[in-house]
Amino acid sequence: MPEPTYLPRASARSLLRRRGVWLPSAVILGLLSLVLSMLYLGANNDPVGSTKDLPIALVNSDRGAEAAGERIDLGAQIATQITGSAEMKDKVSWKTVDRRTADDLLARGKVFGALVIPEDFSASVAALAGPPQHEPHPPTMTVLTNPAAGSFGSGMAAEINQKVVATTSAQVGRGLTQELGRRADSAHTGGPAAPGAAAQLVIADPVNATVEEGHPLGSHSGLGLSAFFYALVLVLGGMLGANVIHTQVDTALGYMANDKGPFRFVKPAQHMTRLHHFVVCSVLMVVLSMLTSALAMAGAVGVVGIDASHLGLLWIFGACATAAMGITALALLAAFGTPGPIVSMLVLIGLAIPSAGATIPLQALPDFYRFLAEFEPFRQVVDGVRSILYFGARTDAGLGRAWTMTAIGFAVSLVLGLVLTRLYDRRGLHRSALQPARPQP
């Protein structure tokens, strides 16, 4: 087929020589690379050093014991030392509670782990300081993890708790060693015999740590990351869906050509106000979000087989979250035009993912990202999905806040889009030029 002759010809060489082709592309791509690298790597650069007020439960169930005619309560002493530690003062926010409350906090994702001092702790230590035993029973402290609240945060809490156990063991060991020395002195004067070599090894490092899951997850939960990836699907579904819908409406109105492989179709241009264009796109977004949420759930639960319950609620929340993301992206498209997809990517992805608290806990992020987490939408979606998948869809486990913030985001974006498009229309800033059609050869 001969090439059209009624359009001015442009050679590849002349196009590559144009500054208007190189400069905008270089500026946009360069700034995106710079900003995204700073955002993502800045959030994950030093999580341990940035940690502040990481919530960990501390349970002291020790009942105390009698040793050499004296009452000892090592559990209370250790708990006081832990909560008053200058090293952990700013990094950890200890929640001193009983075991039942600790289990509830773990089940709501309010703490990343727990450290439990058992009922017989003082008695176990006192037994080591007493007469030699055939099989000495070392005291044990339990470290509870909570991967449902975030595998990275749970790992940080477990590491902190294990360090606390090691420090406690060293302190208790020094006390027992002193007692061992006194017993050795008394053995020379006819007193009780000093413990043997095996008992001495136990006394040097007496306290053991037992690691258990405080809030167990299923084997198909991605170690607590399935909520993050599912939320990512919902956010991308809203952002990409908005761009697809916007393009399809423009194509149907003749604003854009429809290229299918080598074939190009152009419909006659039809005028539509910016306000009506935004309304049409928003209606499509809301309705199609129900479909995309259902298909996302079918793929994740039905095909992949992730652990999930409350499927009806998961579908409804997914549809609302996708619609809210989509309306936000459509409002940015209506406000900024061609740069709209880049702006929406920065708002919904660039700024949102590092501040979501999905991989790195919020308490281990720099202050800038904690500020973003208060209103960035991704964090709200992650909290809602995490509550549905891991915490029995409890509103106090993040789902209540997720519903509230999703509704606010939807309403604000919708109002913003309606107001801006109405303002543009009133000023005559239409997207289509109302000019009579000119015949073309």
mmCIF file of all heavy atoms in Angstrom, residues 408-429:
data_model
loop_
_atom_site.group_PDB
_atom_site.id
_atom_site.type_symbol
_atom_site.label_atom_id
_atom_site.label_comp_id
_atom_site.label_asym_id
_atom_site.label_seq_id
_atom_site.Cartn_x
_atom_site.Cartn_y
_atom_site.Cartn_z
ATOM 1 N N ILE A 408 -12.373 8.193 52.722
ATOM 2 C CA ILE A 408 -11.937 9.593 52.626
ATOM 3 C C ILE A 408 -11.185 9.827 51.324
ATOM 4 O O ILE A 408 -11.399 10.832 50.630
ATOM 5 C CB ILE A 408 -11.067 9.951 53.840
ATOM 6 C CG1 ILE A 408 -11.913 9.953 55.123
ATOM 7 C CG2 ILE A 408 -10.391 11.303 53.651
ATOM 8 C CD1 ILE A 408 -11.115 10.176 56.382
ATOM 9 N N GLY A 409 -10.281 8.917 50.973
ATOM 10 C CA GLY A 409 -9.535 9.059 49.730
ATOM 11 C C GLY A 409 -10.430 9.060 48.508
ATOM 12 O O GLY A 409 -10.236 9.854 47.574
ATOM 13 N N PHE A 410 -11.426 8.178 48.504
ATOM 14 C CA PHE A 410 -12.377 8.130 47.393
ATOM 15 C C PHE A 410 -13.135 9.445 47.273
ATOM 16 O O PHE A 410 -13.252 10.025 46.185
ATOM 17 C CB PHE A 410 -13.344 6.966 47.600
ATOM 18 C CG PHE A 410 -14.363 6.804 46.503
ATOM 19 C CD1 PHE A 410 -14.107 5.972 45.429
ATOM 20 C CD2 PHE A 410 -15.578 7.480 46.543
ATOM 21 C CE1 PHE A 410 -15.035 5.817 44.414
ATOM 22 C CE2 PHE A 410 -16.514 7.343 45.537
ATOM 23 C CZ PHE A 410 -16.239 6.508 44.467
ATOM 24 N N ALA A 411 -13.654 9.930 48.399
ATOM 25 C CA ALA A 411 -14.462 11.154 48.375
ATOM 26 C C ALA A 411 -13.633 12.369 47.975
ATOM 27 O O ALA A 411 -14.071 13.184 47.149
ATOM 28 C CB ALA A 411 -15.102 11.366 49.748
ATOM 29 N N VAL A 412 -12.433 12.500 48.543
ATOM 30 C CA VAL A 412 -11.586 13.653 48.225
ATOM 31 C C VAL A 412 -11.194 13.647 46.760
ATOM 32 O O VAL A 412 -11.252 14.687 46.076
ATOM 33 C CB VAL A 412 -10.339 13.664 49.127
ATOM 34 C CG1 VAL A 412 -9.330 14.699 48.653
ATOM 35 C CG2 VAL A 412 -10.731 13.936 50.576
ATOM 36 N N SER A 413 -10.811 12.488 46.241
ATOM 37 C CA SER A 413 -10.420 12.407 44.830
ATOM 38 C C SER A 413 -11.594 12.695 43.907
ATOM 39 O O SER A 413 -11.444 13.377 42.883
ATOM 40 C CB SER A 413 -9.839 11.022 44.531
ATOM 41 O OG SER A 413 -8.681 10.779 45.308
ATOM 42 N N LEU A 414 -12.767 12.173 44.260
ATOM 43 C CA LEU A 414 -13.943 12.410 43.422
ATOM 44 C C LEU A 414 -14.303 13.889 43.404
ATOM 45 O O LEU A 414 -14.548 14.471 42.327
ATOM 46 C CB LEU A 414 -15.117 11.582 43.943
ATOM 47 C CG LEU A 414 -16.402 11.645 43.120
ATOM 48 C CD1 LEU A 414 -16.173 11.096 41.712
ATOM 49 C CD2 LEU A 414 -17.538 10.878 43.818
ATOM 50 N N VAL A 415 -14.312 14.512 44.556
ATOM 51 C CA VAL A 415 -14.635 15.947 44.618
ATOM 52 C C VAL A 415 -13.585 16.759 43.878
ATOM 53 O O VAL A 415 -13.924 17.706 43.135
ATOM 54 C CB VAL A 415 -14.753 16.397 46.089
ATOM 55 C CG1 VAL A 415 -14.859 17.912 46.178
ATOM 56 C CG2 VAL A 415 -15.951 15.737 46.753
ATOM 57 N N LEU A 416 -12.320 16.401 44.045
ATOM 58 C CA LEU A 416 -11.248 17.122 43.357
ATOM 59 C C LEU A 416 -11.417 17.026 41.844
ATOM 60 O O LEU A 416 -11.294 18.030 41.121
ATOM 61 C CB LEU A 416 -9.893 16.558 43.774
ATOM 62 C CG LEU A 416 -8.667 17.187 43.101
ATOM 63 C CD1 LEU A 416 -8.533 18.649 43.494
ATOM 64 C CD2 LEU A 416 -7.403 16.412 43.475
ATOM 65 N N GLY A 417 -11.703 15.838 41.352
ATOM 66 C CA GLY A 417 -11.892 15.665 39.915
ATOM 67 C C GLY A 417 -13.090 16.432 39.390
ATOM 68 O O GLY A 417 -13.016 17.071 38.333
ATOM 69 N N LEU A 418 -14.203 16.397 40.118
ATOM 70 C CA LEU A 418 -15.403 17.105 39.683
ATOM 71 C C LEU A 418 -15.190 18.622 39.683
ATOM 72 O O LEU A 418 -15.579 19.322 38.744
ATOM 73 C CB LEU A 418 -16.582 16.740 40.587
ATOM 74 C CG LEU A 418 -17.064 15.288 40.523
ATOM 75 C CD1 LEU A 418 -18.131 15.031 41.582
ATOM 76 C CD2 LEU A 418 -17.616 14.955 39.132
ATOM 77 N N VAL A 419 -14.547 19.121 40.731
ATOM 78 C CA VAL A 419 -14.341 20.570 40.839
ATOM 79 C C VAL A 419 -13.388 21.066 39.756
ATOM 80 O O VAL A 419 -13.650 22.077 39.084
ATOM 81 C CB VAL A 419 -13.816 20.927 42.239
ATOM 82 C CG1 VAL A 419 -13.369 22.380 42.295
ATOM 83 C CG2 VAL A 419 -14.893 20.670 43.290
ATOM 84 N N LEU A 420 -12.284 20.362 39.552
ATOM 85 C CA LEU A 420 -11.299 20.810 38.563
ATOM 86 C C LEU A 420 -11.847 20.746 37.141
ATOM 87 O O LEU A 420 -11.645 21.668 36.344
ATOM 88 C CB LEU A 420 -10.028 19.974 38.683
ATOM 89 C CG LEU A 420 -9.135 20.277 39.886
ATOM 90 C CD1 LEU A 420 -7.926 19.360 39.905
ATOM 91 C CD2 LEU A 420 -8.687 21.735 39.874
ATOM 92 N N THR A 421 -12.503 19.644 36.811
ATOM 93 C CA THR A 421 -13.035 19.540 35.444
ATOM 94 C C THR A 421 -14.129 20.576 35.204
ATOM 95 O O THR A 421 -14.226 21.150 34.108
ATOM 96 C CB THR A 421 -13.583 18.125 35.194
ATOM 97 O OG1 THR A 421 -14.505 17.761 36.244
ATOM 98 C CG2 THR A 421 -12.449 17.110 35.156
ATOM 99 N N ARG A 422 -14.947 20.831 36.203
ATOM 100 C CA ARG A 422 -15.970 21.868 36.066
ATOM 101 C C ARG A 422 -15.322 23.247 35.880
ATOM 102 O O ARG A 422 -15.768 24.063 35.058
ATOM 103 C CB ARG A 422 -16.861 21.870 37.309
ATOM 104 C CG ARG A 422 -17.931 22.965 37.328
ATOM 105 C CD ARG A 422 -18.876 22.854 36.154
ATOM 106 N NE ARG A 422 -19.951 23.837 36.244
ATOM 107 C CZ ARG A 422 -20.764 24.128 35.247
ATOM 108 N NH1 ARG A 422 -20.638 23.516 34.069
ATOM 109 N NH2 ARG A 422 -21.722 25.024 35.414
ATOM 110 N N LEU A 423 -14.252 23.498 36.625
ATOM 111 C CA LEU A 423 -13.541 24.769 36.510
ATOM 112 C C LEU A 423 -12.912 24.923 35.125
ATOM 113 O O LEU A 423 -13.006 25.998 34.509
ATOM 114 C CB LEU A 423 -12.470 24.853 37.593
ATOM 115 C CG LEU A 423 -11.606 26.119 37.608
ATOM 116 C CD1 LEU A 423 -12.472 27.351 37.864
ATOM 117 C CD2 LEU A 423 -10.507 26.007 38.655
ATOM 118 N N TYR A 424 -12.299 23.877 34.622
ATOM 119 C CA TYR A 424 -11.714 23.935 33.283
ATOM 120 C C TYR A 424 -12.787 24.204 32.223
ATOM 121 O O TYR A 424 -12.579 24.991 31.288
ATOM 122 C CB TYR A 424 -10.988 22.628 32.964
ATOM 123 C CG TYR A 424 -9.731 22.380 33.768
ATOM 124 C CD1 TYR A 424 -9.148 21.122 33.822
ATOM 125 C CD2 TYR A 424 -9.121 23.407 34.478
ATOM 126 C CE1 TYR A 424 -7.990 20.890 34.546
ATOM 127 C CE2 TYR A 424 -7.969 23.187 35.211
ATOM 128 C CZ TYR A 424 -7.415 21.926 35.250
ATOM 129 O OH TYR A 424 -6.270 21.705 35.972
ATOM 130 N N ASP A 425 -13.933 23.551 32.371
ATOM 131 C CA ASP A 425 -15.010 23.743 31.391
ATOM 132 C C ASP A 425 -15.521 25.179 31.419
ATOM 133 O O ASP A 425 -15.784 25.784 30.361
ATOM 134 C CB ASP A 425 -16.161 22.763 31.680
ATOM 135 C CG ASP A 425 -15.822 21.335 31.272
ATOM 136 O OD1 ASP A 425 -14.993 21.172 30.355
ATOM 137 O OD2 ASP A 425 -16.380 20.397 31.872
ATOM 138 N N ARG A 426 -15.678 25.733 32.597
ATOM 139 C CA ARG A 426 -16.217 27.096 32.699
ATOM 140 C C ARG A 426 -15.260 28.124 32.099
ATOM 141 O O ARG A 426 -15.682 29.180 31.632
ATOM 142 C CB ARG A 426 -16.498 27.439 34.161
ATOM 143 C CG ARG A 426 -17.635 26.623 34.769
ATOM 144 C CD ARG A 426 -18.013 27.129 36.142
ATOM 145 N NE ARG A 426 -18.509 28.509 36.104
ATOM 146 C CZ ARG A 426 -18.920 29.200 37.156
ATOM 147 N NH1 ARG A 426 -18.873 28.614 38.354
ATOM 148 N NH2 ARG A 426 -19.349 30.432 37.043
ATOM 149 N N ARG A 427 -13.988 27.795 32.100
ATOM 150 C CA ARG A 427 -13.003 28.698 31.505
ATOM 151 C C ARG A 427 -12.769 28.410 30.017
ATOM 152 O O ARG A 427 -11.892 29.010 29.406
ATOM 153 C CB ARG A 427 -11.685 28.607 32.262
ATOM 154 C CG ARG A 427 -11.782 29.134 33.688
ATOM 155 C CD ARG A 427 -10.417 29.198 34.340
ATOM 156 N NE ARG A 427 -10.492 29.800 35.668
ATOM 157 C CZ ARG A 427 -9.449 30.057 36.439
ATOM 158 N NH1 ARG A 427 -8.230 29.749 35.995
ATOM 159 N NH2 ARG A 427 -9.592 30.596 37.620
ATOM 160 N N GLY A 428 -13.523 27.487 29.464
ATOM 161 C CA GLY A 428 -13.397 27.185 28.048
ATOM 162 C C GLY A 428 -12.199 26.351 27.682
ATOM 163 O O GLY A 428 -11.809 26.298 26.501
ATOM 164 N N LEU A 429 -11.592 25.685 28.656
ATOM 165 C CA LEU A 429 -10.406 24.861 28.389
ATOM 166 C C LEU A 429 -10.842 23.439 28.049
ATOM 167 O O LEU A 429 -10.630 22.492 28.796
ATOM 168 C CB LEU A 429 -9.483 24.872 29.610
ATOM 169 C CG LEU A 429 -9.013 26.255 30.069
ATOM 170 C CD1 LEU A 429 -8.234 26.159 31.368
ATOM 171 C CD2 LEU A 429 -8.159 26.901 28.982
#
